[in-house]
Amino acid sequence: MTSVINVNLPQQSYEIAIASGSLEQLGQRMADLKLGKKVLLVSNPTIFKHYGEKSIKSLENAGFQVASYCLPAGERYKTLNSIQKLYDIALENRLERSSTMVALGGGVIGDMTGFAAASWLRGINVVQVPTSLLAMVDSAIGGKTGVNHPQGKNLIGAFHQPRLVLIDPDVLKTLPTREFRAGMAEVIKYGVIWDAELFQQMEASKHLNQLRYIKPELISSILTRSCQAKADVVSKDEKEGGLRAILNYGHTIGHAVESLTGYRLVNHGEAVAIGMVAAGQIAVKLGMWQKEDTERQNALIQKAGLPTKLPEGLDIDGIIDALQLDKKVKNGKVRFILPTQIGVVTITDEVSADVIKEVLQGM
């Protein structure tokens, strides 16, 4: 499979290049962009073991001087301390304004590398090479970068668009099953908020919970349609002034669940799945969505092997309090993205704490 999707932005448009085996073309694609010769490749030990050598070889063959650094794997390391380590390596290797940081990894590596690039020398190039399904379809695209604050997810960050997003579907073969399922949560999200046809394609598939059971043509459709949806939304609203907020469907309650469980018990995709179930039920309670549609959504979530219930013992009042720290809060009101039909959502701040509590108590 090969496709190129353009993210059209006023200041810096870029390509999402999707092609099997494209990791070997990383250096040449970056050389074509006329980026400076110094590169810092950032990864984690697991990903680097699989793909670090191949990536570095491709970059060196294209004439780049490459330094590399591995950050520990996991959301709990998505902190300013990790960013400080990247600054130290950038200084040690004399990265300049024409230099590039390359994020080789999942969403955590992509977010941190992007933020380090956004803030080093007031902004240097970043290239995203996502290795997880979640990063491929979502976090590597659109320029959102950042780290977590102990009291909330992604509260510290910046918009910093990549120069290139390079997606090699072949790397999904080494992705752990739990991480593949986490990515499917974001794909289901696109089906609900933007692309009813993608939703129907997933409904028609017997399996969604493991890569090896999903037909290659559906994987191709998942990648291209999800990336196209993200590119369309970002092109219309780069810095989340309005429309782009719909990409946070399921994330409002999902982020609160992640935060309250210390980023250890559930991963991002699992939390988003829980958040989508809650958002769907809120929409039904408010008379905005049909019960049959929320059942269709929840059936897809279960087919993908994702949770539909809150973690045992989670404090519901704690979730409601944590919602006030959400980045989408405006004038003290929490903004929810709620579905009105498959493929269409709306943004509202008219959801009472009582309704949220009632829904959460039922989960």
Side-chain angles (χ1 to χ4, degrees):
M1 61 173 295
T2 305
S3 56
V4 174
I5 294 162
N6 290 304
V7 183
N8 297 309
L9 299 171
Q11 288 188 312
Q12 186 176 287
S13 297
Y14 55 93
E15 289 183 347
I16 305 165
I18 309 171
S20 295
S22 59
L23 203 55
E24 292 174 1
Q25 302 162 17
L26 172 63
Q28 188 53 56
R29 284 186 174 273
M30 285 177 55
D32 291 345
L33 292 170
K34 308 227 173 342
L35 304 179
K37 291 299 178 190
K38 290 186 178 180
V39 170
L40 171 58
L41 183 137
V42 183
S43 192
N44 70 39
T46 307
I47 298 299
F48 192 84
K49 185 175 74 178
H50 288 301
Y51 305 113
E53 197 175 307
K54 184 186 284 189
S55 302
I56 290 171
K57 187 178 176 187
S58 174
L59 288 162
E60 288 180 340
N61 286 347
F64 291 101
Q65 300 165 31
V66 188
S68 63
Y69 188 75
C70 286
L71 291 165
E75 186 81 31
R76 65 184 179 275
Y77 296 106
K78 194 173 159 186
T79 63
L80 287 171
N81 284 342
S82 295
I83 298 297
Q84 180 64 53
K85 287 173 183 164
L86 295 185
Y87 293 154
D88 292 345
I89 300 297
L91 184 63
E92 195 179 302
N93 287 278
R94 298 288 186 268
L95 259 60
E96 303 159 359
R97 282 198 170 152
S98 63
S99 303
T100 305
M101 292 190 187
V102 174
L104 177 70
V108 171
I109 289 296
D111 279 7
M112 288 199 287
T113 307
F115 183 53
S119 46
W120 184 251
L121 302 180
R122 298 191 176 92
I124 66 171
N125 302 313
V126 65
V127 167
Q128 295 283 355
V129 186
T131 59
S132 71
L133 178 61
L134 192 150
M136 288 178 182
V137 300
D138 191 65
S139 60
I141 305 160
K144 273 191 179 180
T145 72
V147 295
N148 300 331
H149 185 278
Q151 291 185 43
K153 188 175 167 74
N154 293 334
L155 292 179
I156 306 158
F159 286 97
H160 189 60
Q161 298 293 345
R163 297 297 305 274
L164 168 73
V165 179
L166 184 71
I167 295 174
D168 185 344
D170 293 350
V171 307
L172 291 174
K173 292 170 186 166
T174 57
L175 187 67
T177 298
R178 187 181 179 193
E179 293 301 321
F180 179 79
R181 291 172 181 168
M184 284 306 303
E186 297 284 359
V187 178
I188 293 167
K189 174 194 81 176
Y190 287 120
V192 176
I193 70 168
W194 196 258
D195 191 339
E197 190 175 327
L198 175 61
F199 190 97
Q200 288 158 8
Q201 286 177 359
M202 290 188 286
E203 280 188 313
S205 177
K206 196 171 178 185
H207 300 283
L208 289 177
N209 62 343
Q210 288 189 53
L211 177 67
R212 59 185 171 154
Y213 295 139
I214 302 175
K215 291 178 179 174
E217 50 272 32
L218 179 56
I219 291 295
S220 174
S221 185
I222 279 170
L223 289 174
T224 53
R225 295 186 81 100
S226 297
C227 289
Q228 188 67 62
K230 181 79 181 262
D232 288 347
V233 173
V234 169
S235 295
K236 289 180 170 75
D237 178 17
E238 182 181 357
K239 297 194 174 174
E240 207 169 287
L243 177 70
R244 185 167 176 170
I246 70 170
L247 296 171
N248 290 302
Y249 177 59
H251 290 57
T252 307
I253 285 170
H255 282 168
V257 169
E258 279 185 278
S259 182
L260 290 172
T261 54
Y263 306 108
R264 292 169 188 264
L265 189 61
V266 294
N267 63 31
H268 179 64
E270 291 161 353
V272 168
I274 292 166
M276 288 193 292
V277 172
Q281 290 181 7
I282 288 169
V284 170
K285 277 204 175 297
L286 296 178
M288 299 168 67
W289 207 25
Q290 299 297 314
K291 190 167 185 287
E292 308 86 78
D293 285 339
T294 196
E295 286 167 356
R296 288 174 67 194
Q297 170 194 260
N298 295 354
L300 272 193
I301 290 169
Q302 287 173 321
K303 195 195 285 189
L306 290 159
T308 56
K309 299 281 184 188
L310 286 170
E312 196 82 23
L314 201 60
D315 177 35
I316 287 170
D317 286 328
I319 296 176
I320 291 168
D321 289 344
L323 293 178
Q324 287 298 324
L325 292 171
D326 189 88
K327 297 183 300 302
K328 296 178 295 302
V329 169
K330 195 170 182 181
N331 300 323
K333 286 186 167 186
V334 181
R335 286 190 298 162
F336 274 89
I337 291 80
L338 299 178
T340 55
Q341 61 188 73
I342 301 293
V344 182
V345 289
T346 190
I347 304 168
T348 180
D349 59 8
E350 298 299 322
V351 183
S352 71
D354 289 344
V355 169
I356 300 168
K357 195 168 187 175
E358 191 181 339
V359 165
L360 294 175
Q361 283 170 339
M363 291 177 65

